[in-house]
Amino acid sequence: MALIDLHTHTTASDGSLSPAARVDRAAARGLAAVAITDHDTLAGLPEARAAGAVRGIDVVAGVELSVADGDRGVHLLGLFLPDREGPLAEALAYLRERRHTRNRRILDKLRELGVPVEYKAVTALAKGAVGRPHIAQALLDMGVVTSFKEAFTRYLGVHGRAYVPKDKLSLARAVALIHDEGGLTSLAHPYILGLAGPALAEAVSRYRDAGLDAIEALYTEHSQAQTLEYLALARRFGLAVSGGSDFHGAAKPDVDIGRGRGNLRVDIGVLDVLRARRRKRELAGDGEKGLDPLGRPV
Ligand code: AMP
Ligand code: FE
Ligand code: FE
Ligand code: ZN
């Protein structure tokens, strides 16, 4: 059975492997396809695609965005993105710029707490989109904390003393940007919503109405019960399913590509279904969601 991984990070955001090394690792693990889904950037894609061509592994071009549903933060994956420059690339450039502002505010708070960190020391650790994991690494290098987990619990996480929220696109805006590029959207790691039962169904149905295409039911952190609930919701709301490890490398050392913590299996059939759905959307044309290839309502 051919296995794939549709959620991974590289040095273009907060992963520890270069795009080429990440594709090599996927190929060495025997995966048939891997998606590169860095936070707020497409910068890793050309190198990953080139490595994929050499290694004979299908590289899916993706991105991961933090979006807002009211006060709730939601992560959205965009998959099957093109190389061309356009409104999505412009939006991502803006989000990366806003990251610098946020990172500096985090460092201001750290300084007030008696932990001065130079921003240069943080950006030196990053090759692309700069974020909290790079600040966590700087704190680790300075000996202020002894683990990433401690950096997030004490300082950088939502309940940390130096927390600053991130600027986010609205879910509807992010979905539209990705659709306009011909991509599909998937609700990343739905467990972080912290919802189940009717409250989860209500949220998923609203996201479907906003144009969401898929739900990442298969994910490293999901229990079997959660996976079954997400799969049932996908069926109920006519959403496709996606799956991935969220491999970061050193930042999440116990999570391996394609396998998560050993319990993850995403079959290539998942990718086939997503591709078929994308083709259907393409044939139906922009803004005519809900039409079949002949323009009839479905
Ligand atoms: P940012 O995009 O700058 O807000 O950083 C978010 C990233 O930080 C996530 O994608 C994870 O890679 C990482 N992260 C978030 N929470 C934790 C945590 N508790 N421990 C380790 N890494 C985390
Ligand atoms: Fe990350
Ligand atoms: Fe995420
Ligand atoms: Zn991720």
Side-chain angles (χ1 to χ4, degrees):
M1 188 167 81
L3 299 179
I4 62 170
D5 190 333
L6 297 181
H7 188 161
T8 73
H9 295 267
T10 77
T11 45
S13 65
D14 54 0
S16 61
L17 290 182
S18 70
R22 124 138 303 335
V23 169
D24 285 353
R25 170 88 72 106
R29 287 282 188 278
L31 298 185
V34 62
I36 306 292
T37 55
D38 278 308
H39 303 282
D40 296 344
T41 182
L42 307 174
L45 300 178
E47 181 184 320
R49 273 197 238 266
V54 172
R55 292 296 217 131
I57 171 171
D58 192 354
V59 170
V60 176
V63 73
E64 182 172 15
L65 293 172
S66 301
V67 302
D69 166 29
D71 290 340
R72 176 177 290 132
V74 177
H75 287 192
L76 191 71
L77 298 173
L79 296 170
F80 311 114
L81 302 174
D83 278 344
R84 69 165 178 271
E85 295 293 307
L88 175 63
E90 280 169 31
L92 296 177
Y94 171 78
L95 291 171
R96 290 196 301 276
E97 198 47 48
R98 295 300 302 167
R99 275 176 172 274
H100 288 302
T101 308
R102 178 206 193 198
N103 294 336
R104 288 205 171 87
R105 286 179 60 207
I106 293 174
L107 295 196
D108 288 345
K109 285 198 170 185
L110 283 170
R111 191 167 300 111
E112 283 164 26
L113 293 167
V115 184
V117 181
E118 289 289 329
Y119 195 43
K120 272 198 306 238
V122 175
T123 53
L125 297 167
K127 293 202 169 73
V130 193
R132 287 180 293 164
H134 304 104
I135 301 175
Q137 185 63 51
L139 293 171
L140 200 57
D141 292 346
M142 291 165 64
V144 173
V145 296
T146 57
S147 68
F148 259 67
K149 192 172 166 21
E150 187 189 348
F152 277 88
T153 312
R154 279 178 66 189
Y155 297 114
L156 306 174
V158 191
H159 303 294
R161 295 178 69 195
Y163 179 70
V164 176
K166 182 157 61 182
D167 284 343
K168 303 179 188 79
L169 302 176
S170 73
L171 182 105
R173 175 81 188 117
V175 167
L177 277 167
I178 290 164
H179 281 172
D180 287 351
E181 303 280 350
L184 286 192
T185 54
S186 184
L187 177 65
H189 41 63
Y191 85 102
I192 61 156
L193 298 176
L195 301 173
L200 177 64
E202 183 275 326
V204 170
S205 100
R206 274 192 301 107
Y207 302 161
R208 192 267 320 264
D209 291 346
L212 184 74
D213 303 284
I215 177 166
E216 191 178 45
L218 310 172
Y219 184 78
T220 301
E221 309 296 339
H222 292 165
S223 69
Q224 199 179 13
Q226 286 173 321
T227 303
L228 290 174
E229 180 168 19
Y230 305 144
L231 290 172
L233 282 172
R235 204 169 309 120
R236 175 170 162 196
F237 292 113
L239 295 167
V241 165
S242 77
S245 65
D246 210 355
F247 177 89
H248 279 67
K252 297 184 185 179
D254 47 344
V255 175
D256 199 6
I257 182 161
R259 302 309 306 265
R261 295 209 168 83
N263 53 351
L264 185 73
R265 290 177 78 77
V266 186
D267 187 83
I268 186 117
V270 163
L271 182 57
D272 296 336
V273 171
L274 287 166
R275 282 229 162 89
R277 198 173 178 106
R278 185 201 179 200
R279 259 193 311 276
K280 188 170 164 186
R281 166 178 284 287
E282 229 167 35
L283 289 166
D286 275 346
E288 294 180 321
K289 200 167 123 270
L291 299 183
D292 76 3
L294 297 176
R296 298 171 301 210
V298 289

